Amino acid sequence: MSRSKRKLEHIRHALSREDLGINSFDEMEIIHQSLTDIHWDDISLQTQLGELTLSSPLFVNAMTGGGGEKTEAINRDLAIAAKETGIALAVGSQMSALKDEREMKSYQVVRQENPEGIVFANVGSEATLDQAKRAIDMLEANALQIHLNVLQELIMPEGDRDFTTRLEQIEEIVKSVEVPVILKEVGFGISQETTRQLKEIGVSYIDVGGKGGTNFSNVENKRRRQPLESYNGWGIPTVTSIKEVKSVFPECNVIASGGMRNGLDGAKSFVLGANAFGMAGQLLRTLMKDDLETLIKKIDHVHEEFKIAMMLLGAKETYQLDGKPHIYTGSTKSWLEQRITTL
Ligand code: FMN
């Protein structure tokens, strides 16, 4: 199957996916506080993600491009929504445009629509240094995402099977490019062990891409004749993954993603120490099932939800949410007790 046809199939299956039914943010509660001493108008949604100053904690995470005019139209709308609401935007994997120049415009539309916006480029971990640089240049990107998706590749019938040189290639990119490099998962989460390996090669930005939302086992299984269904529940949930990363690399710039449903989930991720949060599948569903206007309203709504949490917790700045009193329940509590010694 061609790469561009695969991109369109991913969108179709991601839109039709059944809900996983479990979300780790339901097993974390922020403790309500009855007194606040701040004014709504003094609250700033700005956040510092390492070198990047973002005017919102929310961004549109990597999804598409490389599927011809259809993905160009989706990226155009996502870029307009990002510009209207002042949020950053990541494009989907640019590997297809690196191999076939005709696909470039389905990504470049993002920069055309939003010349001043924060845009993240995206490549797979198989990318060479030259490909990474070309992906950044293609968009004049402010940062580069490299996605780690071993399980997705294994379930994909035509997926990669050779991962022998990935860590060295990532290290070369991290040490050579001039923009921040974000290592991200695609819905299976990042563990303590992976964090240590990434830290050792100089990575300081991690998007946990945890379990709880879009499920690429499910998506790829829908494309298989004989599905590998036993892997549909595989992965580290987003809340636990943030804790896994922070427990061994406290100063890491952490992005929460994977099943982020609303601004309250976003605020909870900041309580855990995240510096930004990404939403992918849900924003795409809003755009495709409704329209651009509804998407813009949804993003505004997420901002309002996030701001309410800041107000309740007396935080004028987003970083002040970090460490606010909270508890864990259920399987999240059990996981953290077994894995994290610095609770
Ligand atoms: N992540 C990537 O890093 N590169 C991709 O090309 C990419 N393509 C995606 C395509 C679709 C249709 C969707 C829904 C997600 C894709 N992702 C990709 C993963 C998302 O960036 C994100 O990590 C994942 O969907 C979990 O977030 P969510 O639960 O908010 O959807």
Side-chain angles (χ1 to χ4, degrees):
M1 172 179 295
S2 75
R3 200 179 264 268
S4 99
K5 197 159 170 233
R6 188 167 81 220
K7 299 279 163 195
L8 298 173
E9 282 209 347
H10 281 162
I11 292 173
R12 187 162 61 83
H13 292 311
L15 290 177
S16 73
R17 68 154 186 127
E18 305 88 53
D19 213 291
L20 269 178
I22 31 163
N23 189 305
S24 51
F25 285 98
D26 288 336
E27 294 187 336
M28 174 194 174
E29 297 290 336
I30 305 176
I31 311 299
H32 171 66
Q33 308 296 339
S34 305
L35 286 171
T36 188
D37 58 354
I38 56 176
H39 193 295
W40 181 260
D41 295 343
D42 293 335
I43 296 173
S44 162
L45 287 179
Q46 187 173 301
T47 181
Q48 199 64 36
L49 178 67
E51 287 174 34
L52 302 170
T53 303
L54 307 180
S55 48
S56 158
L58 169 66
F59 71 100
V60 183
N61 217 344
M63 280 183 286
T64 203
E69 281 173 15
K70 280 192 186 146
T71 56
E72 183 178 338
I74 294 172
N75 270 344
R76 175 176 294 111
D77 280 350
L78 292 176
I80 295 170
K83 185 180 175 188
E84 292 293 313
T85 55
I87 71 176
L89 164 69
V91 297
S93 174
Q94 290 162 265
M95 298 311 289
S96 53
L98 294 169
K99 288 171 185 156
D100 177 357
E101 287 194 355
R102 286 170 303 180
E103 292 292 355
M104 277 172 45
K105 57 184 181 165
S106 67
Y107 300 93
Q108 285 171 326
V109 65
V110 161
R111 184 48 90 198
Q112 281 151 16
E113 287 296 338
N114 195 2
E116 308 297 328
I118 302 270
V119 173
F120 299 163
N122 186 295
V123 292
S125 59
E126 74 274 26
T128 61
L129 174 58
D130 176 60
Q131 287 176 320
K133 285 183 174 166
R134 284 198 288 134
I136 296 165
D137 291 347
M138 200 188 293
L139 304 174
E140 294 167 62
N142 306 83
L144 171 71
Q145 294 181 324
I146 301 180
H147 62 264
L148 304 173
N149 66 338
V150 181
L151 181 57
Q152 183 189 1
E153 295 289 344
L154 294 179
I155 296 183
M156 210 190 290
E158 71 276 32
D160 292 343
R161 294 292 180 269
D162 177 7
F163 297 89
T164 48
T165 58
R166 298 293 167 99
L167 203 57
E168 291 103 272
Q169 281 173 250
I170 295 169
E171 180 171 15
E172 196 187 4
I173 295 171
V174 170
K175 298 212 160 123
S176 311
V177 303
E178 288 181 358
V179 295
V181 178
I182 301 164
L183 264 291
K184 80 180 279 284
E185 251 291 352
V186 299
F188 304 110
I190 302 268
S191 69
Q192 297 176 29
E193 292 78 8
T194 303
T195 303
R196 283 200 194 93
Q197 287 176 287
L198 294 175
K199 185 181 179 191
E200 219 155 85
I201 60 164
V203 171
S204 58
Y205 295 79
I206 294 180
D207 177 339
V208 300
K211 182 171 82 170
T214 302
N215 177 344
F216 266 101
S217 300
N218 217 332
V219 169
E220 295 299 347
N221 268 332
K222 287 193 177 140
R223 303 176 53 240
R224 281 182 74 99
R225 266 207 198 106
Q226 194 175 8
L228 291 157
E229 277 163 356
S230 47
Y231 284 93
N232 279 355
W234 182 271
I236 308 171
T238 302
V239 165
T240 28
S241 185
I242 297 170
K243 293 293 286 182
E244 292 257 338
V245 173
K246 292 295 271 188
S247 68
V248 293
F249 192 0
E251 60 288 10
C252 185
N253 300 295
V254 173
I255 296 169
S257 81
M260 309 295 294
R261 299 162 296 187
N262 50 50
L264 177 55
D265 288 349
K268 286 181 180 179
S269 75
F270 270 63
V271 169
L272 295 172
N275 307 91
F277 72 102
M279 291 170 80
Q282 214 191 124
L283 298 182
L284 185 66
R285 270 192 290 283
T286 304
L287 176 64
M288 305 291 276
K289 296 199 167 151
D290 295 303
D291 53 17
L292 176 58
E293 200 188 327
T294 314
L295 176 62
I296 291 171
K297 279 196 192 130
K298 179 169 179 70
I299 294 170
D300 288 340
H301 189 70
V302 172
H303 280 154
E304 188 176 359
E305 288 172 318
F306 193 96
K307 212 168 153 181
I308 288 173
M310 290 180 73
M311 184 88 187
L312 284 169
L313 299 178
K316 278 190 205 167
E317 306 289 339
T318 53
Y319 71 85
Q320 291 170 334
L321 290 171
D322 190 1
K324 289 287 183 189
H326 58 281
I327 56 145
Y328 308 103
T329 59
S331 58
T332 300
K333 177 168 180 275
S334 165
W335 180 303
L336 296 178
E337 281 167 358
Q338 292 175 65
R339 289 275 296 173
I340 314 287
T341 48
T342 54
L343 264 185

